[in-house]
Amino acid sequence: QVQLVESGGGSVQAGGSLRLSCAASGATDRMGWFRQAPGKEREGVASIWRTVVAYADSVKGRFAISSDNAENTVYLQMDRLKPEDTAMYYCAASTTGWGFSLRASEYKYWGQGTQVTVSS
């Protein structure tokens, strides 16, 4: 069983930046960030598997996912934030599987979420 704890959410004006962190209680393999806005489906934002990363088209060039394997921590650097980035952001992890994934079904463990609000 792996527990995930997110931090770093908050409120920021459009064009600003935030950095999310997710600390895992144990070793993981694939990790990802998802978000869900009110009334919308959960969306895969970024994923990292070993040194390979992937992003949703909506955040490419603005968000960057990275990991510190020694600390079992994954980060999401979010720059040039837009109001449409407003959502609850969730960290997810799996200990099996091959490759990155932006599909929620590919992840077994989930954090409690951290709110990101971007005002115009």
Side-chain angles (χ1 to χ4, degrees):
Q1 189 78 6
V2 176
Q3 294 182 335
L4 304 174
V5 179
E6 302 106 329
S7 60
S11 297
V12 66
Q13 289 190 329
S17 298
L18 285 173
R19 189 191 195 206
L20 306 183
S21 299
C22 173
S25 62
T28 61
D29 195 358
R30 175 193 300 128
M31 294 195 76
W33 287 97
F34 291 75
R35 66 186 182 187
Q36 189 166 19
K40 294 188 176 182
E41 293 186 355
R42 189 167 294 192
E43 172 191 21
V45 174
S47 175
I48 186 166
W49 177 76
R50 300 184 184 180
T51 61
V52 183
V53 300
Y55 300 95
D57 288 343
S58 58
V59 305
K60 278 181 182 176
R62 300 189 297 120
F63 290 12
I65 188 171
S66 61
S67 64
D68 182 338
N69 294 329
E71 297 293 331
N72 291 330
T73 301
V74 65
Y75 305 96
L76 186 67
Q77 177 66 42
M78 305 185 295
D79 297 322
R80 302 197 303 278
L81 282 160
K82 303 175 182 180
E84 50 263 46
D85 294 319
T86 296
M88 184 71 78
Y89 282 71
Y90 298 90
C91 175
S94 65
T95 55
T96 59
W98 185 90
F100 58 79
S101 177
L102 295 178
R103 294 189 297 181
S105 60
E106 299 283 351
Y107 294 85
K108 182 176 181 179
Y109 304 104
W110 292 83
Q112 80 287 353
T114 184
Q115 179 67 37
V116 171
T117 301
V118 184
S119 58
S120 57

